[in-house]
Amino acid sequence: MNAYHAASDVSNPRGGLKLADIPAHDPFVVADGATQTYYLYTGGSPKLNGMERYGVLAYKSRDLAEWEGPYVVFTIPDGVWTNPQHGAWAPEVHAYGGHYYLFVTLHNNDKKLAGEGYGGYPLQWRGTAVAVSDSLDGPFELVKKNAPIVSEQLMTLDGSLFIDNEGKPWMVYCHEWVQTGDGTVEAVQLNAELTDSESESVHLFDGSEAPWDNGEHPPDGSKSVYVTDGCQLYLTSGNRLIMLWSTYDNGSYVQTIARSQTGKLEGPWEQLEPLVYDDSGHGMLFRTFQHEWMLILHSPFRMPDSRCKLYEMTDTGETFIVKTARRDLDGSNDVSAAE
């Protein structure tokens, strides 16, 4: 058994793990004040983790330096719109209405959509599903079983919960570049139970709005494509609405950031300088139990080599900037690519 599988085998959860030991993609951390425990969520698969079907794993830590796990918190059930053998991406867990809600991107490659995708990729069912539990440890159960939250005719991914100033829930998500060419970030209002949408989608911005050339330009002269991934929203101490998202810079994954010029979800959104380069992205922010802002992301992009990296952040009131790479916590030997 190789090292990365030994550190992520669901049949043998263990302690003393560094983040550098754990193959992970699209990480999400919940800092649970009641138990003083950090929960790290990431997708789980049969190949990497010895699971019978795709799902979501959790690792636990008291200090961000040593972790225990993995523990299965969600597996894709039979009899739903998705296929248990076709993947689970970008898990997020949010406290809402007295419960915990898991947002996770699922797939059904057997359910084809009309038309041809960009880059030679097929069009198929892909979208964010929502599952609920009374515990951060799960198990989480899907709240809608016949289709993803956004129309199944749209290839979408990386849905994230956002609560507006009126207390209304929204899902902010990415419309997949495979279907659009120029990937977008969109938002849709949800009902109170988070089981379905209650509005038409609101367009926030296009991937091509990044202030650098982040497109992939095919040599045959066909249309360039622009990736949008991993949208997450936060408020600064100055009440500025910030969005983390990921795209590419010269073919390498990059963690970037945008800011609403009005402080409202509908924007308009201005694109700021990226936070971390070096094939790094799909990050999220959380507060430590010492009230420090931390960024966690994965690098490099491809599994099984992808690992979580930690960065201590500064809230300037206007935005968030990288203070320092915390290689002492994540066990990384990489040189920081933070700007």
Side-chain angles (χ1 to χ4, degrees), residues 155-175:
M155 286 188 70
T156 64
L157 71 166
D158 297 355
S160 184
L161 181 65
F162 173 74
I163 309 299
D164 68 17
N165 291 333
E166 298 178 357
K168 296 177 180 178
W170 292 75
M171 187 174 76
V172 181
Y173 65 93
C174 297
H175 193 170

Side-chain angles (χ1 to χ4, degrees), residues 240-288:
R240 302 301 301 269
L241 182 60
I242 295 294
M243 182 191 299
L244 298 186
W245 68 287
S246 293
T247 184
Y248 283 83
D249 174 56
N250 294 316
S252 181
Y253 209 42
V254 61
Q255 178 64 64
T256 192
I257 186 170
R259 178 171 59 205
S260 171
Q261 296 181 41
T262 61
K264 297 180 179 179
L265 181 60
E266 58 266 31
W269 289 85
E270 58 180 326
Q271 302 299 326
L272 308 179
E273 285 299 310
L275 295 173
V276 184
Y277 294 90
D278 196 31
D279 204 21
S280 304
H282 203 114
M284 59 85 63
L285 294 170
F286 65 96
R287 299 288 294 273
T288 70

